[in-house]
Amino acid sequence: MATIDYGGTQYVLQDGESVLDGLLRQGAEVPHSCRKGSCHACVLQAMAGDIPAEAQDGLKETLRAQGYFKACCCRPAGDLAIALADPDDRVAASLTRIEWVSPTVIRVRLTPSPPIEYHPGQFVTLVREDGLARSYSIASLPEESALELHVRCLPKGRMSQWLAREARPGTWVQLGRASGDCFYLPGDPEQPLLLAGTGTGLAPLYGIARDALAQGHTGPVWLFHGAGDRHGLYLEDALAALSERHENFFYVPSVRRGPAPPGIEIGELGDGIRSAFPSLRGWKAYVCGNPEIVSTLRKQLFMAGVASRAIHFDSFLPAAA
Amino acid sequence: MANVGTETSLYDQLGGSAAVDAAVDIFYRKVLADGRISRFFDDVDMDAQIAKQKAFLTMAFGGPNQYTGTDMRSAHKPLVAKGLNGGHFDAVVEQLGQTLSELGVKPALIAKVAAVAATTRQDVLNA
Ligand SMILES: Cc1cc2nc3c(=O)[nH]c(=O)nc-3n(C[C@H](O)[C@H](O)[C@H](O)COP(=O)(O)OP(=O)(O)OC[C@H]3O[C@@H](n4cnc5c(N)ncnc54)[C@H](O)[C@@H]3O)c2cc1C
Ligand code: FES
């Protein structure tokens, strides 16, 4: 049984319990979201004690060296003294604009001060004043003044409804560091790129596509965006304009259920990709959005010849209750 | 230089961990495409599956691996419950051989790999 000293208070963990679960069970406040190690909302800093390696998976070298770890993945063998991650790690950001871009999706713009470093396609964890934390992928480019997120509004979604109905320009939130490896890496400008996602899975893909084109990618960049019905599609005009400006950029919107005007395919996203490209050998792929679709598409693209390491993805896992 | 004075190990002859990396995608794609056995490999978690295939290839290549007979048994028990039998085992070994020959490995070495894989037969099938 490990004892955790958190800000001067002692918490005893039960056998096999994570630091996050143990602290929450005993009433401590710790920001968290996915509870699975992917969102990094629960990062804390260890002042003393040994952190198991898996609790630092996916954290930058510099952060590991400072004892940062993910509380939801940390089942320590011995006692620890820990603290909230250095507040310097979180930045304040002011919401600047919130607009509906489809009946179910809002585009949220915010300005972090100071600006944060990120690659388009990575995600940030947005923390509300009361500690509610959710991750969102970044659709903007660093040279743009505001950070852009696309949020799908769920009927009972605590964060999404708050953003859509209550938050106003000027409202402040906190942002964690940008993380995730779903972003464009220059180095092979001719490699064909396949970007596929459903719903607000478009956010990172929109960022990655524009980033690749801005960095001079010359190979074809195909963006397949799928939605349940027409209301799930958005930014069609911006994407059509982008393909006007770049002859190597191709935008293919599709919906599972019609009706749909000309130019929008009806059918499963994966089927559309399969019929356009029976073989994807030598391609790089980015897949984002609904976790089940991401998992199915990854396998499909792999079977079509994309190397497993050339598939970057982000599953939009719901936050654990 | 662990093998000075002795015959180079099978693992080194095949090219060590680089050979495992080269083989894993091809092998995993083959077993998923093989209707006889794909259902045993078609897990939702692709990363976990790839990690398992890597461990299997490392073992079959005679490389460093952490498997014990008991691990093998317990790891495959759920698959045996799903009907895994000797025919499936042979199909996997066959795909392993195809993978290696696609990578240009000589038949004599492929036979050695198949022989290593065969040593796990009893444990895998919980026989
Ligand atoms: C790495 C990462 C990146 C993400 N990027 C984005 C992004 O760019 N855009 C975006 O919109 N979301 C994204 N998400 C999801 C996001 O973090 C939230 O989970 C989502 O906005 C719901 O939060 P909420 O507080 O509004 O709803 P909650 O209050 O958490 O949930 C409300 C209800 O809806 C259910 N629910 C939760 N998620 C779903 C779902 N997907 N489908 C159906 N029901 C659901 C819950 O079970 C609950 O009953 C991402 C998630 C991860 C892990
Ligand atoms: S990484 Fe711990 S809650 Fe998401």
Side-chain angles (χ1 to χ4, degrees), chain A residues 1-32:
Chain A
M1 259 188 322
T3 302
I4 309 296
D5 179 317
Y6 179 46
T9 311
Q10 315 292 316
Y11 298 88
V12 178
L13 297 186
Q14 292 172 350
D15 268 351
E17 195 175 38
S18 73
V19 170
L20 180 66
D21 289 341
L23 293 182
L24 294 176
R25 179 175 52 79
Q26 295 169 75
E29 283 188 16
V30 188
H32 62 278

Side-chain angles (χ1 to χ4, degrees), chain A residues 281 295-296 298-311 313, chain B residues 21 24-26 28-30 32-33 41-47 50 54:
Chain A
R281 199 176 281 241
S295 150
T296 312
R298 278 178 74 197
K299 206 168 288 164
Q300 179 190 325
L301 300 179
F302 173 72
M303 294 307 282
V306 187
S308 54
R309 283 186 199 171
I311 307 178
F313 65 98
Chain B
D21 286 342
V24 71
D25 268 15
I26 305 178
Y28 183 43
R29 217 175 262 130
K30 281 186 186 300
L32 276 183
F41 293 88
D42 201 7
D43 197 311
V44 263
D45 189 347
M46 190 168 148
D47 298 315
I50 287 190
K54 265 193 169 171

Side-chain angles (χ1 to χ4, degrees), chain B residues 33-109:
Chain B
D34 185 334
R36 294 174 293 177
I37 47 179
S38 60
R39 67 189 176 99
F40 299 110
F41 293 88
D42 201 7
D43 197 311
V44 263
D45 189 347
M46 190 168 148
D47 298 315
Q49 273 295 335
I50 287 190
K52 280 185 206 163
Q53 302 326 319
K54 265 193 169 171
F56 169 67
L57 293 175
T58 305
M59 182 281 302
F61 290 8
N65 70 83
Q66 275 90 44
Y67 273 139
T68 65
T70 336
D71 292 342
M72 274 294 189
R73 280 179 177 269
S74 55
H76 290 90
K77 214 174 203 130
L79 300 184
V80 173
K82 274 168 92 186
L84 187 79
N85 63 35
H88 300 129
F89 186 88
D90 295 337
V92 171
V93 177
E94 182 189 317
Q95 294 298 0
L96 175 58
Q98 297 277 351
T99 302
L100 293 175
S101 82
E102 213 166 277
L103 288 167
V105 176
K106 300 261 174 339
L109 278 185

Side-chain angles (χ1 to χ4, degrees), chain A residues 5 43 92 138 152 167 175 196 202 212 228 244 246 255 282 309 316 319:
Chain A
D5 179 317
V43 168
I138 308 175
R152 177 176 157 224
L175 291 179
L202 180 60
E244 294 276 303
H246 296 273
V255 292
R309 283 186 199 171
F316 290 2

